[in-house]
Amino acid sequence: NGCSERRVGIALQPHALSQALPPPVVSTGLGRTLDPSRPSSDAAWDRGFDFEVISDYSAGGLRKQYAESRLRMNFAFLDAMAIEGLADGDQRSDEALEVLRSEGAAALHELRDKGLIGALGVAQEFRSVDVILRLLEFYD
């Protein structure tokens, strides 16, 4: 929801700038865009920014989420990004997987191939095994 990314960025900034310590390894999720023009209607997100959370797995949406995550954490490079927010048997998840297949996965591979993301992954609830297996088809 953005708030955690901001907190991580603030907490790790001194460590990231240190010459004496190895750089931190940072991972965050993809699949949700925050819309600041609309207040949140979901009580599950009430501890973060008061923005509407919109699922977006399109190429443009994933690139935007990557850029916004980098800004919130104030890191030039993200070690890993993971697709999240999908569930077995959910029609919206099936539609999102199709968008990932048709355009989103290529955008993520492009970011990785340009050296902007270290690794791509999946962050799903364990009960979403089918979604995890379907997502693995997108990764090499």
Side-chain angles (χ1 to χ4, degrees):
N1 64 4
C3 193
S4 295
E5 288 180 336
R6 190 68 204 120
R7 289 177 181 154
V8 166
I10 290 168
L12 292 179
Q13 203 61 44
H15 184 80
L17 297 174
S18 171
Q19 299 295 322
L21 300 170
V25 175
V26 178
S27 175
T28 192
L30 289 164
R32 299 181 183 109
T33 298
L34 301 175
D35 183 350
S37 69
R38 298 170 22 193
S40 176
S41 59
D42 187 349
W45 297 94
D46 66 356
R47 292 186 181 191
F49 297 121
D50 188 25
F51 300 158
E52 185 68 24
V53 179
I54 301 166
S55 294
D56 189 353
Y57 299 89
S58 68
L62 294 172
R63 284 186 193 104
K64 178 180 178 188
Q65 293 164 42
Y66 157 78
E68 289 175 349
S69 290
R70 271 192 49 213
L71 287 173
R72 282 190 291 268
M73 291 190 280
N74 196 24
F75 285 116
F77 174 80
L78 297 176
D79 297 284
M81 297 198 83
I83 295 292
E84 61 183 14
L86 303 174
D88 288 345
D90 178 15
Q91 182 178 352
R92 289 176 297 176
S93 292
D94 291 338
E95 292 166 2
L97 283 165
E98 184 53 40
V99 172
L100 271 168
R101 182 183 316 283
S102 67
E103 63 176 288
L108 294 176
H109 287 230
E110 176 186 312
L111 289 169
R112 186 196 58 200
D113 293 346
K114 288 182 176 179
L116 302 172
I117 299 172
L120 300 172
V122 176
Q124 296 296 129
E125 297 178 15
F126 183 70
R127 62 187 167 95
S128 297
V129 174
D130 182 56
V131 168
I132 293 170
L133 294 174
R134 291 169 66 190
L135 282 167
L136 290 176
E137 296 172 17
F138 306 138
Y139 297 110
D140 50 15

